[in-house]
Amino acid sequence: MGTRRKARVFVRVRPTSDFAHEMIRYGDDNKTINIHLKKDTRRGIVNNQQTHWSFKLDGVLHNASQDVVYETVAKDVVSQALSGYNGF
């Protein structure tokens, strides 16, 4: 059996006119995305509401075209699938 490979994980972000710019920050490495939500003050002053998440990925495709997404994420998987492999 061949070498085991991990699943690669990417996120594609396509801003719209009502995109939550103030809630999402991208790492300089283009592999990190941080999401921050303001605390819901209706829950009171003291609450354990989580407000920050940080994700480390294989890549963040910010405002990327469909061609860039295909080249980065799918091209090798499709090629391998057409050659009879399961895409991993």
Side-chain angles (χ1 to χ4, degrees), residues 16-81:
T16 61
S17 59
D18 60 348
F19 187 74
H21 294 283
E22 69 281 351
M23 293 171 36
I24 299 176
R25 298 284 178 249
Y26 310 100
D28 293 334
D29 60 358
N30 285 325
K31 293 185 175 192
T32 307
I33 188 166
N34 298 301
I35 301 172
H36 180 75
L37 302 175
K38 293 181 181 178
K39 277 207 184 264
D40 184 355
T41 56
R42 295 174 295 181
R43 290 187 171 189
I45 295 173
V46 178
N47 69 53
N48 293 326
Q49 176 185 3
Q50 183 172 354
T51 60
H52 186 80
W53 296 265
S54 183
F55 300 95
K56 184 81 170 166
L57 309 155
D58 290 299
V60 176
L61 303 171
H62 178 63
N63 210 15
S65 69
Q66 190 68 26
D67 290 335
V68 169
V69 172
Y70 176 78
E71 289 291 326
T72 305
V73 178
K75 185 177 181 179
D76 290 341
V77 175
V78 171
S79 177
Q80 290 173 5

